[in-house]
Amino acid sequence: MMESVGMYGLCGCAAKSKMKCDSRWEIPASETAPTSAYSSPARSLGDTGITPLSPSHIVNDADPNVSEQQMFLVVVAIDFGTTSSGYAYSFTKEPECIHVMRRWEGGDPGVSNQKTPTTILLTPERKFHSFGYAARDFYHDLDPNEAKQWLYLEKFKMKLHTTGDLTMDTDLTAANGKKIKALEIFAYALQYFKEQALKELSDQAGSEFENSDVRWVITVPAIWKQPAKQFMRQAAYQAGLASPETAEQLIIALEPEAASIYCRKLRLHQMIELSSKAAVNGYSSGDTVGAGFAQAKEHIRRNRQSRTFLVENVIGEIWSELEEGDKYVVVDSGGGTVDLTVHQIRLPEGHLKELYKATGGPYGSLGVDYEFEKLLCKIFGEDFIEQFKIKRPAAWVDLMIAFESRKRAAAPDRTNPLNITLPFSFIDYYKKFRGHSVEHALRKSNVDFVKWSSQGMLRMSPDAMNALFKPTIDSIIEHLRDLFQKPEVSTVKFLFLVGGFAEAPLLQQAVQAAFGDTCRIIIPQDVGLTILKGAVLFGLDPAVIKVRRSPLTYGVGVLNRYVEGKHPPEKLLVKDGTRWCTDVFDKFISADQSVALGELVKRSYTPAKPSQLVIVINIYSCEHDEVSFITDPGVKKCGTLRLDLTGTSSTAVPARREIQTLMQFGDTEIKATAVDIATSKSVKVGIDFLNY
């Protein structure tokens, strides 16, 4: 028989307005819907669909079909950063001890090596060679002509944020200009961390550690769209961390949530307070930002040999000041993105509720690197810089390493210049390319604040370095100002500044100046490891985050009785004498609506044609609200549920067969189920944003 396409299109759209979950299925009057890229599923297949039986209702219990989660011996969290990455772990029998990975080989002057650079090197045959410092150092030592054959990639995580149409086939470009599948690179990187962690665990345990003993947690920015979060899970499956059959073995954690979980454990000696509202930890607001942070860094340096952090099973002093309903902001400033998340405390357990949907943007420390590159283009010419990157890729990496260590020395009160060593091949190649010296270029460029030093260095004034930070920091402050204007974010008590870029004194000073009078600003010590430690705690107790904001609006496409003057004429479908309006969007839950962890939303439908035995449920998503039809612009298909009821006994089936649809929300993944009530036959699917 012909398959029936139940219009049953689950739809997702980021909403501006908040709508009730139990909205009636009759659609409000709508203008003529714009034509979509694809025709109406019902019309094209010439068959009926489903029509609602009941309004939706929320069931606050967990999915009964999910078996009890197995116990894992250890939780390993991977902080896959734009600029640097690392892992940490904790044994479930000793949850108060978080172990940060072994010290990395290599390292840069002035840069802590508790994490390793997010750099990967493949052989000319495209096989994995090395990761981190090892990749960078090996690539650097290659002969320039040989280096052109090798595939070297760095800072590639941003591609997942910036690619609008991310798929399993999205490409990355290596330093030599060659393309390679992004999924392959992410899987290689995760496989590397898996092998490193299992080896360290086995060495520590004195016996072979199995992957099945490990619960993995991978952190991603909260502002990433659903396809990017799913992409990370797919890469982890390819790397062998988990599989679709053991999906619960892997948790995709949101970076600011992980930071938030760690911040609640902070004791007074583990943080620095910047705000002018109060004095904590012996630092008054009169102290300079740098002084307080310098003392904290010294404390960290002394403890650096110990890689085990004790997390007391208590609520920290700062946290104990928070009362039911108190709000705080987590500003997670990393290499690529800045994530802003607003949480609220729920007592007595101190669970966290996401109060305002995560916002942010590409305002990470990479922005400072881009400004430096723009400055080089201004002095030496964009054509030269582009050629130099292609012809001398390893020397370009060297130059950016030299800049990185100087970047970290930038501070508001600095008076002496910062020297950046130019690689010899830069000086040499420039002379061949232009026919005159680097020194000549600097004199001609009219860039007053950068001078040439006879030792082969660019000498930048502190003001010049600060100017490179300004656009990125201004974007962060502006975004925070916008956030503080929102009614949900008024009366915020604390602002926690976390992530690698939070170590920058210039960013600390800017945040202190802008918001020090509004709320108390707290920076955890060893701020670059905050997310990593929080992700371990999240893996040990995933239920600590109780309520999230739904990033999309979900619903199903149904047939409604056609109402003249109310429904667009092109949506009219006449079947067996009945006039139907096709493609109607029936909402499950709205974007920005609060959703409890594990929450189920149920709806009941019936086939429009009683004899229908194969029901295909198409799942859709889109990024705007006020959607009336599944054919509206921006609506994308992101999954299919196919319920085959052929061969089931028809004697016990009522005339109006009930098909119950359930959607489970709250985790970073969303699951949908369809159940035939008469026969208990069911089908499940995870929402898929990459393969449609």
Side-chain angles (χ1 to χ4, degrees):
M1 65 170 282
M2 176 188 278
E3 281 193 3
S4 141
V5 174
M7 302 288 78
Y8 227 46
L10 299 181
C11 307
C13 333
K16 294 183 192 78
S17 70
K18 196 168 164 197
M19 304 183 98
K20 285 192 179 142
C21 197
D22 58 13
S23 57
R24 295 188 309 281
W25 52 268
E26 277 296 337
I27 285 290
S30 162
E31 300 84 28
T32 301
T35 54
S36 115
Y38 47 85
S39 60
S40 158
R43 219 171 275 262
S44 59
L45 281 146
D47 59 31
T48 58
I50 49 152
T51 187
L53 272 178
S54 67
S56 65
H57 57 285
I58 288 179
V59 185
N60 279 316
D61 52 73
D63 184 344
N65 299 314
V66 175
S67 59
E68 278 299 302
Q69 289 188 342
Q70 69 175 97
M71 283 302 294
F72 298 100
L73 298 180
V74 67
V75 170
V76 179
I78 300 171
D79 179 3
F80 197 126
T82 304
T83 49
S84 59
S85 299
Y87 67 87
Y89 57 93
S90 178
F91 294 98
T92 48
K93 287 195 166 64
E94 293 181 298
E96 67 286 348
C97 291
I98 297 176
H99 309 273
V100 177
M101 69 247 156
R102 292 172 176 157
R103 288 176 67 85
W104 298 95
E105 294 306 312
D108 297 326
V111 180
S112 107
N113 65 345
Q114 290 240 280
K115 287 191 191 171
T116 192
T118 308
T119 53
I120 194 165
L121 183 65
L122 307 189
T123 66
E125 297 73 42
R126 295 174 174 251
K127 295 278 179 282
F128 176 80
H129 180 273
S130 47
F131 187 91
Y133 288 115
R136 219 185 56 191
D137 295 345
F138 186 91
Y139 181 62
H140 168 264
D141 292 341
L142 285 169
D143 172 80
N145 287 322
E146 200 184 343
K148 289 177 197 168
Q149 305 308 312
W150 290 67
L151 285 86
Y152 177 82
L153 296 100
E154 61 179 353
K155 298 166 185 167
F156 48 85
K157 180 181 165 191
M158 275 301 279
K159 182 84 174 182
L160 298 198
H161 179 67
T162 55
T163 304
D165 53 349
L166 185 69
T167 69
M168 306 289 262
D169 294 321
T170 295
D171 284 328
L172 295 173
T173 307
N176 62 0
K178 291 185 178 168
K179 298 249 190 280
I180 186 155
K181 293 271 175 285
L183 190 68
E184 215 172 303
I185 292 297
F186 279 82
Y188 274 145
L190 291 171
Q191 192 175 348
Y192 169 80
F193 280 114
K194 173 191 160 192
E195 287 167 7
Q196 292 286 318
L198 288 177
K199 186 172 186 314
E200 183 171 340
L201 289 166
S202 299
D203 290 351
Q204 199 159 329
S207 60
E208 201 65 29
F209 227 88
E210 296 296 325
N211 187 63
S212 55
D213 296 329
V214 180
R215 160 168 269 163
W216 297 95
V217 182
I218 300 173
T219 62
V220 301
I223 55 166
W224 270 14
K225 293 196 165 50
Q226 295 300 110
K229 292 172 185 170
Q230 186 191 331
F231 186 95
M232 214 55 162
R233 180 170 279 274
Q234 292 301 326
Y237 289 165
Q238 193 159 314
L241 274 69
S243 68
E245 293 69 45
T246 59
E248 72 286 346
Q249 192 178 352
L250 170 67
I251 295 173
I252 301 291
L254 306 181
E255 288 165 5
E257 284 186 352
S260 193
I261 292 162
Y262 180 68
C263 288
R264 71 204 294 242
K265 301 275 190 183
L266 284 175
R267 308 304 305 272
L268 285 180
H269 63 275
Q270 294 172 315
M271 60 195 169
I272 302 103
E273 176 146 4
L274 297 184
S275 49
S276 48
K277 286 208 121 181
V280 169
N281 203 15
Y283 303 129
S284 72
S285 55
D287 293 339
T288 64
V289 174
F293 215 66
Q295 288 177 45
K297 277 191 161 170
E298 177 58 25
H299 173 82
I300 294 157
R301 194 188 59 73
R302 286 199 301 271
N303 290 304
R304 186 130 280 161
Q305 295 314 311
S306 162
R307 296 177 307 104
T308 301
F309 294 87
L310 288 177
V311 180
E312 297 168 61
N313 195 18
V314 294
I315 297 297
E317 289 93 339
I318 282 280
W319 211 266
S320 60
E321 292 180 35
L322 290 168
E323 296 164 0
E324 171 84 48
D326 276 351
K327 307 166 191 173
Y328 62 94
V329 179
V330 177
V331 180
D332 169 19
S333 45
T337 53
V338 168
D339 257 356
L340 313 177
T341 310
V342 186
H343 281 158
Q344 189 173 36
I345 301 294
R346 301 173 77 196
L347 296 177
E349 311 94 335
H351 285 136
L352 312 180
K353 173 181 178 178
E354 188 185 358
L355 197 66
Y356 185 73
K357 204 170 64 193
T359 62
Y363 320 129
S365 61
L366 273 187
V368 185
D369 298 357
Y370 293 143
E371 289 299 316
F372 178 60
E373 192 176 321
K374 273 161 64 180
L375 178 66
L376 291 176
C377 289
K378 190 174 176 186
I379 297 168
F380 302 109
E382 197 173 330
D383 55 343
F384 167 72
I385 295 298
E386 286 310 310
Q387 276 303 303
F388 181 70
K389 283 160 83 173
I390 294 162
K391 301 285 191 212
R392 302 282 188 274
W396 174 256
V397 170
D398 271 0
L399 176 54
M400 293 314 287
I401 293 166
F403 174 69
E404 181 67 27
S405 73
R406 296 295 77 210
K407 182 171 95 177
R408 287 168 184 263
D413 50 359
R414 190 183 176 100
T415 53
N416 52 329
L418 297 120
N419 294 326
I420 298 158
T421 305
L422 282 182
F424 171 74
S425 63
F426 185 99
I427 299 165
D428 181 54
Y429 190 67
Y430 184 77
K431 185 145 193 162
K432 285 178 185 160
F433 190 87
R434 286 272 190 257
H436 58 247
S437 69
V438 164
E439 190 179 353
H440 177 78
L442 272 161
R443 276 204 309 272
K444 262 184 60 184
S445 69
N446 299 325
V447 177
D448 299 334
F449 39 78
V450 181
K451 304 288 183 214
W452 177 247
S453 141
S454 54
Q455 290 94 12
M457 295 178 177
L458 291 180
R459 180 164 288 178
M460 292 183 75
S461 70
D463 286 348
M465 180 60 89
N466 295 1
L468 300 181
F469 278 79
K470 193 174 184 318
T472 302
I473 290 177
D474 285 353
S475 295
I476 295 170
I477 299 299
E478 188 184 340
H479 209 90
L480 269 168
R481 280 197 209 285
D482 288 348
L483 185 70
F484 274 88
Q485 299 302 315
K486 307 273 188 265
E488 304 96 323
V489 188
S490 57
T491 66
V492 159
K493 258 197 180 173
F494 292 101
L495 185 154
F496 290 99
L497 194 56
V498 303
F501 196 27
E503 292 176 358
L506 290 165
L507 177 59
Q508 293 171 18
Q509 188 199 44
V511 172
Q512 180 186 14
F515 306 104
D517 294 332
T518 310
C519 58
R520 291 169 63 183
I521 298 161
I522 309 290
I523 304 182
Q525 282 185 7
D526 230 355
V527 65
L529 296 177
T530 304
I531 290 157
L532 201 44
K533 295 182 211 168
V536 173
L537 293 172
F538 188 38
L540 291 166
D541 180 17
V544 69
I545 302 283
K546 279 294 184 200
V547 178
R548 282 209 178 104
R549 295 272 166 172
S550 174
L552 302 166
T553 302
Y554 293 91
V556 300
V558 298
L559 295 174
N560 272 349
R561 292 298 175 104
Y562 187 83
V563 179
E564 203 72 51
K566 179 177 180 180
H567 294 136
E570 70 270 20
K571 294 292 179 190
L572 173 62
L573 179 75
V574 181
K575 268 287 185 191
D576 304 326
T578 306
R579 289 157 62 83
W580 297 102
C581 177
T582 68
D583 307 334
V584 174
F585 182 105
D586 194 27
K587 280 186 184 172
F588 257 60
I589 208 159
S590 294
D592 220 20
Q593 191 170 328
S594 292
V595 188
L597 197 78
E599 196 164 280
L600 287 173
V601 180
K602 293 184 184 179
R603 296 292 302 264
S604 288
Y605 298 94
T606 190
K609 188 177 176 184
S611 60
Q612 198 170 310
L613 288 175
V614 179
I615 297 156
V616 177
I617 301 159
N618 285 316
I619 303 168
Y620 299 87
S621 76
C622 74
E623 288 199 7
H624 56 85
D625 195 20
E626 305 303 330
V627 178
S628 302
F629 299 97
I630 62 169
T631 51
D632 284 358
V635 177
K636 292 178 188 164
K637 186 173 172 186
C638 58
T640 300
L641 282 164
R642 186 177 183 278
L643 192 58
D644 188 346
L645 303 175
T646 51
T648 55
S649 167
S650 57
T651 51
V653 176
R656 296 193 77 194
R657 186 171 211 139
E658 183 180 354
I659 308 292
Q660 197 174 72
T661 311
L662 304 91
M663 284 193 80
Q664 186 171 24
F665 298 91
D667 193 1
T668 46
E669 284 76 45
I670 299 147
K671 298 175 183 73
T673 310
V675 185
D676 176 43
I677 296 303
T679 62
S680 297
K681 260 194 122 168
S682 70
V683 62
K684 277 188 172 187
V685 70
I687 305 295
D688 185 348
F689 295 96
L690 291 170
N691 291 313
Y692 286 89

